[in-house]
């Protein structure tokens, strides 16, 4: 899965399957494990618009 960086900054996480179903992801760089929920949280975090001070919110 490209595009969603691990906490270490590496941008290729590999799917972890349990009984053929998506169960999470693993970083092959540092070995961090993500459950399906923590991976979803990470993708939501990446998709959220930037909330930096001084920047207007997109409408």
């Amino acid at each position: 899965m490209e595009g969603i960086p691990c906490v270490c900054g590496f941008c290729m996480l590999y799917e972890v399957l349990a009984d053929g179903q998506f169960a999470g992801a693993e970083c092959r760089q540092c070995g961090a494990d993500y459950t399906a929920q923590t991976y979803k949280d990470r993708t939501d975090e990446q998709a959220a618009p930037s909330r930096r001070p001084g920047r207007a919110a997109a409408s």
Side-chain angles (χ1 to χ4, degrees):
M1 292 183 256
E2 290 186 49
I4 303 300
C6 176
V7 294
C8 75
F10 191 65
C11 286
M12 287 187 70
L13 301 177
Y14 293 84
E15 286 185 352
V16 174
L17 302 176
D19 297 324
Q21 300 295 317
F22 180 72
E26 177 185 357
C27 177
R28 295 284 170 96
Q29 181 75 22
C30 73
D33 289 319
Y34 296 91
T35 64
Q37 183 60 50
T38 57
Y39 180 77
K40 180 186 178 310
D41 293 345
R42 193 99 181 115
T43 58
D44 291 347
E45 193 177 283
Q46 292 296 313
S50 178
R51 299 278 186 214
R52 288 187 235 158
R55 297 192 83 182
S59 43

